[in-house]
Amino acid sequence: MPIDLHTHSTASDGTEPSDVVVAQAARAGLDVVALTDHDTYAGWPAATAAATELGVDLVRGVEVSCSERGISVHLLAYLVDPEASGLLHELDRARDSRVTRIDRMVELMAADGIPVTVEEVRAQAGPGTTMGRPHIADALVASGFVRTRDEAFTDVLRNGSRYYVSHYAPDPVRAVELVRAAGGVPVMAHPFANGRGWTVDDSVIERMADAGLAGLEAHHRDHTPQERTHAVELAARLGLFVTGSSDYHGAGKENRLGENTTTPRVLAQIEEQATSGIDVVRAARA
Ligand code: AMP
Ligand code: FE
Ligand code: FE
Ligand code: ZN
């Protein structure tokens, strides 16, 4: 019963619409998939319709961008009430700030002779999309400056780049509180994925656990075997469950659906802990 609890659609920086992500999940033989776009619920309706049709169960979620003193933290939030105003307000703020931040990054790049304009970046995303560096990467691919998103990230778009600009994001402890207040279940995404930037130390995760964190995404391709083991041990010490997921972004990354999975037991815990009234969409099966 493969369960993959972390994917992205064109509502953020995935390359496929959310109904196509669900169709791909069906093709990949998943029984359950979670849609977790960065800072938006915009992909939920199309994914819900597709899940019902295609025989895949859908966990509606979101990946909340957070910042702990400048260090980026991603918090997966499952089965949240999309109308809960506290969390919604923070997501809106982060999305707005991401737009200004893209403008600023493009300005710095263009001033250095890199062939990219704000219009070209906007053209890579539909209306209401959560904008991110991958959309700048797509514009650089379109103009022939680089061949792939990954190539853009190894140089001009990486965290330490002279063109890097941060955006507003709530601190992770507050985000955990807001997810719980929205009836959702907070799980820290790829906690030790330090390949592309700094990660927080365990004391921050301890404070998140005190605030209501439910789990750690231990099994993720950006973790080494040692980091997975550490995540499993830390979770056990803090009374958290662990998940495994692909972090699928369509053609935007190599991550394949189902490459890491979560146990049915943990999915049951997520459902038990959710108080939002947002249920797992159960698909009728033939
Ligand atoms: P941002 O949210 O704008 O800071 O951009 C970070 C996003 O870029 C992450 O969510 C990743 O999905 C994506 N990303 C990071 N590194 C790469 C890479 N090497 N190739 C493709 N996408 C990447
Ligand atoms: Fe992403
Ligand atoms: Fe992430
Ligand atoms: Zn993600």
Side-chain angles (χ1 to χ4, degrees):
M1 185 188 176
I3 301 170
D4 185 341
L5 294 182
H6 186 166
T7 72
H8 296 265
S9 75
T10 49
S12 65
D13 58 0
T15 60
E16 296 159 346
S18 62
D19 53 341
V20 176
V21 172
V22 172
Q24 297 285 24
R27 271 183 56 181
L30 295 181
D31 288 299
V32 185
V33 68
L35 179 73
T36 53
D37 276 303
H38 299 286
D39 304 321
T40 184
Y41 308 122
W44 285 17
T48 301
T52 314
E53 222 168 275
L54 298 170
V56 180
D57 291 350
L58 174 71
V59 177
R60 288 166 286 185
V62 61
E63 187 172 10
V64 183
S65 304
C66 306
S67 174
E68 169 63 29
R69 305 171 194 217
I71 298 175
S72 167
V73 172
H74 286 176
L75 185 69
L76 294 160
Y78 298 114
L79 305 174
V80 282
D81 174 1
E83 287 171 8
S85 58
L87 182 58
L88 193 57
H89 175 75
E90 290 297 322
L91 299 180
D92 286 345
R93 249 187 103 176
R95 276 205 318 279
D96 287 351
S97 169
R98 282 170 161 281
V99 172
T100 354
R101 171 268 199 145
I102 294 275
D103 293 354
R104 182 79 189 119
M105 284 186 69
V106 167
E107 199 179 309
L108 292 171
M109 292 167 72
D112 241 9
I114 297 171
V116 62
T117 66
V118 166
E119 290 69 33
E120 285 166 352
V121 176
R122 294 270 165 81
Q124 297 299 327
T129 296
T130 300
M131 298 299 294
R133 283 177 282 165
H135 300 106
I136 305 181
D138 290 347
L140 294 172
V141 171
S143 73
F145 185 74
V146 292
R147 272 165 305 173
T148 61
R149 276 188 181 183
D150 196 49
E151 199 178 318
F153 270 92
T154 58
D155 184 15
V156 289
L157 296 180
R158 75 194 149 78
N159 280 14
S161 158
R162 60 200 294 197
Y163 310 116
Y164 180 81
V165 176
S166 63
H167 60 81
Y168 170 77
D171 83 70
V173 169
R174 177 164 160 70
V176 165
E177 290 166 355
L178 289 171
V179 170
R180 286 291 189 184
V185 183
V187 174
M188 188 178 183
H190 43 72
F192 307 118
N194 49 26
R196 300 190 179 102
W198 294 98
T199 52
V200 296
D201 57 47
D202 291 358
S203 65
V204 174
I205 301 175
E206 284 167 22
R207 286 194 289 113
M208 291 168 71
D210 289 342
L213 186 67
L216 296 180
E217 188 184 55
H219 304 292
H220 185 285
R221 75 152 59 205
D222 293 350
H223 283 169
T224 63
Q226 292 75 16
E227 287 162 347
R228 291 179 189 222
T229 302
H230 181 62
V232 169
E233 288 172 358
L234 182 63
R237 178 160 74 76
L238 299 176
L240 310 175
F241 57 68
V242 301
T243 64
S245 301
S246 66
D247 204 354
Y248 178 73
H249 282 68
K253 275 185 164 181
E254 286 176 8
N255 310 31
R256 292 300 96 192
L257 285 165
E259 66 178 30
N260 286 292
T261 56
T262 296
T263 63
R265 200 181 124 78
V266 166
L267 177 61
Q269 284 178 265
I270 291 174
E271 287 191 77
E272 277 160 26
Q273 290 189 28
T275 57
S276 59
I278 298 293
D279 294 325
V280 175
V281 179
R282 297 281 176 208
R285 284 191 175 79

